Amino acid sequence: MRAQRALGKTGDLRCDYQYRTSSQFTQTFSFLVCMKTGFFSLLFVALLSCKKENTVSDMNQKDSAKIISENRKDSTTIPVQHKEEIFNFVTELCENKGHFDSGKYTREELEGTYKLWFQMGGIALSTPSVYNFNGLQKVRNEKEAILAKLDQDFASQKRVLENLKLVKDPYWEDIRKQHLQELAEEYEFRKTEIKAFSDPSVLVNHKLSKGCENFVKALNSNEVQMTEEWRKLREEMSKRNSDPQRILNEFEEHLYSSDKKDFATIDLITFGWGNCANDHIKRVEHDEKMNKKFESLFIKIDSECDEP
């Protein structure tokens, strides 16, 4: 019995040891489980926090981008205000005040366009007219000086046209081009005419003589042919004159003059070839379209006009 009891005590001790060992293991395991759970919980919270911060950051970036975009949009939709200014100009009977948008045109551009529209019309070059014997002698004697001045005037007028500041519109650039072409043709015509009074042969095969060959032929032919064409010209002139008999009487008077050839030269160049060639020069047409194009440059025009 003692042995069994002792044995029983030993067994109880073993069991108690096993129980205590098992309990310690369980506590350790539970601790580890708790630690693991805590670790993962902290990790989850950290990840959740990062995600939240990233989400907030993305939202902030999107909001910032939206604000910038809206600001840009607002800045582009705000109309730019330009100052309304006054440009003064005159026409035949009126003094005008044109109200213009300084954001579209400068005062210098309007000034140049006005000159092209209103002041560049008509004949830009001039040379002495030859209607009588004294005029013919003057042109022959002063030919070189007349031609030199013509060269200077042409160069000056050409430079003015080229340097005009115009409003940015292809229409006005085309008008400038037409004026330059007209100026070049006018220059060539006047230079050739002055030379022809001394030497009619310059008219032969000249580009300006196209359609005017009958006058060129008469000026470079014998006396009979010259007189015949001269008579025809005077007869045509008399039909268009308010005093036709005067035109015919002048012809008869000059026909029997010792300076008959010079008188014939005056008429055949001035009233014959001159009028014929001048009609072939392409002139810039100042029409209603050009007037409206100029007026359209202004917001409004206030005019004070005299009675015609």
Side-chain angles (χ1 to χ4, degrees), residues 40-80:
F40 283 107
S41 296
L42 290 173
L43 181 61
F44 176 74
V45 170
L47 290 173
L48 184 62
S49 176
C50 290
K51 182 176 182 182
K52 184 177 181 180
E53 289 178 359
N54 288 336
T55 303
V56 172
S57 177
D58 291 341
M59 291 177 64
N60 289 337
Q61 290 179 359
K62 291 180 180 178
D63 290 342
S64 298
K66 183 178 180 181
I67 291 171
I68 293 172
S69 177
E70 290 177 350
N71 288 339
R72 288 178 179 173
K73 184 177 180 181
D74 291 341
S75 66
T76 56
T77 55
I78 296 175
V80 178

Side-chain angles (χ1 to χ4, degrees), residues 56-266:
V56 172
S57 177
D58 291 341
M59 291 177 64
N60 289 337
Q61 290 179 359
K62 291 180 180 178
D63 290 342
S64 298
K66 183 178 180 181
I67 291 171
I68 293 172
S69 177
E70 290 177 350
N71 288 339
R72 288 178 179 173
K73 184 177 180 181
D74 291 341
S75 66
T76 56
T77 55
I78 296 175
V80 178
Q81 298 294 327
H82 295 297
K83 184 179 178 182
E84 183 178 309
E85 297 185 20
I86 302 295
F87 176 74
N88 297 306
F89 63 97
V90 297
T91 49
E92 289 89 347
L93 299 173
C94 302
E95 292 184 0
N96 308 279
K97 290 184 177 181
H99 299 249
F100 71 97
D101 185 346
S102 60
K104 290 184 178 180
Y105 320 111
T106 66
R107 189 174 299 277
E108 186 180 15
E109 289 172 342
L110 287 175
E111 183 69 35
T113 307
Y114 166 68
K115 287 180 178 179
L116 187 68
W117 168 64
F118 189 72
Q119 297 180 346
M120 294 293 179
I123 298 174
L125 302 172
S126 64
T127 48
S129 299
V130 178
Y131 298 120
N132 52 50
F133 185 77
N134 290 335
L136 177 64
Q137 294 303 313
K138 179 180 176 63
V139 165
R140 285 175 173 174
N141 294 334
E142 301 176 9
K143 180 181 68 173
E144 297 304 323
I146 293 171
L147 292 176
K149 185 178 184 304
L150 180 63
D151 289 344
Q152 292 176 358
D153 292 345
F154 170 69
S156 176
Q157 289 292 328
K158 184 172 182 287
R159 187 164 53 251
V160 168
L161 273 169
E162 291 174 338
N163 291 336
L164 283 178
K165 299 293 184 182
L166 305 178
V167 298
K168 295 174 178 59
D169 187 332
Y171 173 82
W172 293 111
E173 286 298 338
D174 184 61
I175 296 298
R176 188 213 301 265
K177 183 178 179 181
Q178 291 180 41
H179 272 289
L180 286 169
Q181 181 63 33
E182 178 184 348
L183 180 67
E185 292 182 8
E186 179 81 22
Y187 167 71
E188 185 63 27
F189 164 72
R190 292 187 174 276
K191 180 177 68 174
T192 304
E193 184 182 49
I194 292 299
K195 290 180 177 180
F197 283 118
S198 299
D199 180 13
S201 67
V202 299
L203 302 178
V204 178
N205 297 324
H206 196 285
K207 61 181 179 180
L208 291 173
S209 295
K210 187 177 181 179
C212 313
E213 290 86 357
N214 56 317
F215 302 113
V216 177
K217 184 177 180 181
L219 285 161
N220 291 279
S221 62
N222 57 46
E223 183 178 323
V224 175
Q225 291 177 316
M226 175 182 274
T227 302
E228 182 180 355
E229 192 63 41
W230 180 23
R231 185 187 299 275
K232 288 180 183 179
L233 175 61
R234 275 280 167 170
E235 288 173 352
E236 288 298 321
M237 290 170 60
S238 69
K239 295 176 183 179
R240 300 189 298 269
N241 196 278
S242 59
D243 187 0
Q245 192 58 48
R246 178 180 64 82
I247 302 301
L248 295 176
N249 290 341
E250 285 180 353
F251 170 71
E252 294 295 333
E253 179 183 345
H254 294 157
L255 180 61
Y256 296 102
S257 168
S258 58
D259 298 314
K260 176 177 67 175
K261 186 175 181 179
D262 287 336
F263 283 117
T265 298
I266 293 170

Side-chain angles (χ1 to χ4, degrees), residues 4-48:
Q4 290 176 352
R5 190 174 295 170
L7 183 60
K9 289 180 178 180
T10 304
D12 291 340
L13 290 171
R14 184 179 299 160
C15 289
D16 181 60
Y17 172 77
Q18 290 178 348
Y19 172 78
R20 283 183 288 139
T21 304
S22 175
S23 177
Q24 291 176 355
F25 176 77
T26 301
Q27 291 176 356
T28 302
F29 179 76
S30 298
F31 175 75
L32 291 174
V33 170
C34 289
M35 288 292 291
K36 182 177 182 182
T37 303
F39 173 76
F40 283 107
S41 296
L42 290 173
L43 181 61
F44 176 74
V45 170
L47 290 173
L48 184 62

